[in-house]
Amino acid sequence: MTLDRRRIQTLDLAADSDTAWAHLRRPELIRRWFGYDHDGLDAEIDRVFGATARTLADGLRRELEWSDGTAVLLAPTADSHRTTITVERPGRDVLSNYDGVRDPVDERWVADVHQLEFALAVHPDTERRTWSAIGLDAGPRKDRLLDRVGLHGVHGLPVHGHTETVRPDGVHVGGRLVYRTDLQFGLRLHGASDALLVVMEHPSVAHDNNGRIDAVLSTYGLDDEQFAAVCARWDAWWGVPRRAGQVS
């Protein structure tokens, strides 16, 4: 399919082109950065990454292309230990899922590419576990969820700037803003686990609801007990209802 494409995201990855390509082709490596843990993740990876894969005519660049015209391109840099990744998508005039406010596929790719960059730069060769809260009520204008969790100031923070808030249990949580768009941001959190928090906003296009928030925390190197403690603390912080199988 040949369509005029928009550039959604370009990043340099801390990996050579073979390693970067493997992280787009091998399911066990894709799990280290793509999306978040849920029962259907393996099936989602199989479906999404069954895209057409090819090496371009110059023999150096490699591309994945989907039937809707979305493409992910890898190109080596002058530094052989780094690779540029670029995501391109068709113009919005041919997309059926753009509501005039938010393109969910655009937003997902922005988040995923930053998660890939983080995994390769900060936690190479390490398995990931994610805490996630999907579809949370964003709250009314005077009681927004991001205000309640102490992240209301992120939208005014410069990229690479630092922020800090305090959880209800009194623990300070600080981080550096990795990226920000109009509808999402990523924070690299300080601390022993060196995690990445991605927050995506879904503004309401109607007047009868507040919009939604998705939050995904990518953690690495945590054992079962440590990860369970993280999930319990973050559920309490973000007001997530008790989950199936969760104990007091």
Side-chain angles (χ1 to χ4, degrees):
M1 171 180 280
T2 301
L3 294 171
D4 291 334
R5 291 172 175 165
R6 299 171 292 121
R7 179 171 293 187
I8 303 303
Q9 188 70 63
T10 297
L11 289 175
D12 276 353
L13 305 177
D16 61 64
S17 61
D18 287 339
T19 300
W21 185 244
H23 280 73
L24 296 176
R25 305 308 297 143
R26 291 171 50 187
E28 73 275 15
L29 298 182
I30 296 169
R31 285 188 66 95
R32 294 178 180 174
W33 61 272
F34 178 73
Y36 57 92
D37 297 330
H38 62 93
D39 290 342
L41 180 58
D42 289 335
E44 184 181 4
I45 288 172
D46 288 343
R47 182 179 70 253
V48 172
F49 291 90
T52 300
R54 57 172 169 262
T55 300
L56 301 189
D58 58 17
L60 298 174
R61 294 176 296 158
R62 285 179 277 199
E63 183 183 67
L64 287 178
E65 185 177 32
W66 284 261
S67 59
D68 70 350
T70 300
V72 174
L73 178 72
L74 293 183
T77 68
D79 178 350
S80 61
H81 299 294
R82 300 189 69 83
T83 305
T84 298
I85 185 169
T86 300
V87 180
E88 297 179 342
R89 300 201 65 236
R92 284 177 169 153
D93 56 331
V94 301
L95 297 176
S96 60
N97 55 4
Y98 178 56
D99 61 9
V101 176
R102 183 180 187 276
D103 185 320
V105 181
D106 280 12
E107 297 298 324
R108 177 67 182 270
W109 273 115
V110 170
D112 285 334
V113 171
H114 279 95
Q115 288 171 315
L116 172 59
E117 189 276 334
F118 181 78
L120 289 172
V122 183
H123 295 288
D125 305 317
T126 307
E127 301 305 319
R128 180 183 71 153
R129 305 177 80 166
T130 61
W131 168 88
S132 61
I134 306 300
L136 297 177
D137 188 334
R141 184 172 60 85
K142 294 184 179 181
D143 186 30
R144 305 296 287 172
L145 173 62
L146 293 184
D147 295 342
R148 297 198 300 272
V149 299
L151 295 177
H152 54 282
V154 169
H155 284 298
L157 195 68
V159 173
H160 307 308
H162 291 261
T163 188
E164 185 172 291
T165 188
V166 182
R167 291 198 315 241
D169 58 6
V171 173
H172 288 252
V173 179
R176 176 174 63 85
L177 185 65
V178 176
Y179 75 95
R180 184 186 64 244
T181 71
D182 290 342
L183 295 176
Q184 65 173 285
F185 60 85
L187 283 173
R188 179 176 175 176
L189 300 181
H190 307 316
S193 62
D194 207 354
L196 177 68
L197 172 66
V198 170
V199 174
M200 304 178 71
E201 300 181 59
H202 301 248
S204 173
V205 294
H207 297 291
D208 58 351
N209 64 72
N210 302 318
R212 296 180 291 115
I213 297 287
D214 297 340
V216 175
L217 179 72
S218 294
T219 72
Y220 296 82
L222 301 184
D223 62 26
D224 289 347
E225 183 177 355
Q226 291 169 326
F227 181 67
V230 166
C231 290
R233 290 194 298 265
W234 280 69
D235 281 352
W237 184 18
W238 287 70
V240 176
R242 186 174 299 279
R243 305 177 194 237
Q246 194 176 60
V247 296
S248 301

